[in-house]
Amino acid sequence: QVPKENIFSAFFSNSTASKQYSYGYNCFSGSKVNGNKYKPYVSSCTNGDTVCMEFDAKNKTLRFKINGIDRGIAFDNIATGDDVSYRFVAHLGADENCVEIENFQSIKAE
């Protein structure tokens, strides 16, 4: 099991440069998160919900689908380029919560 502080540092970095590149969806509040700033987005999730995160590097957008329903673009104008990297982080609030990666595709932007 990964210590909680390591999970937080992966998602919420203290460095100014990386804060601008942190994007997420908070299942508990339904907020979208960027650089530790929460803004209203959609409804919250419940146990058993399926959340799909879709990053489009070509169009520089990040959107979420909840239980198959597209909730629209959460973030646009996301930084891209050879010097930018991304990492998927899932923060689970309780021991009984789990995450399952069902499908991962990496498609090179043209």
Side-chain angles (χ1 to χ4, degrees), residues 24-33 38-44:
Y25 165 66
N26 183 308
C27 282
F28 303 106
S29 67
S31 302
K32 58 184 182 177
V33 186
Y38 290 72
K39 293 185 178 177
Y41 178 53
V42 296
S43 60
S44 60

Side-chain angles (χ1 to χ4, degrees), residues 8 15 29 39 41-42 55 61 64 66-67 71 83 93 99 103:
F8 287 131
S15 137
S29 67
K39 293 185 178 177
Y41 178 53
V42 296
F55 171 59
T61 59
F64 295 90
I66 302 170
N67 297 323
R71 300 302 182 164
D83 60 337
V99 64
N103 185 9

Side-chain angles (χ1 to χ4, degrees), residues 6 36 68 97 102:
N6 291 351
N36 278 345
N97 293 338
E102 294 181 355

Side-chain angles (χ1 to χ4, degrees), residues 37-58:
K37 293 184 176 120
Y38 290 72
K39 293 185 178 177
Y41 178 53
V42 296
S43 60
S44 60
C45 293
T46 60
N47 192 19
D49 284 350
T50 300
V51 178
C52 172
M53 179 178 68
E54 183 179 287
F55 171 59
D56 182 339
K58 182 177 180 182

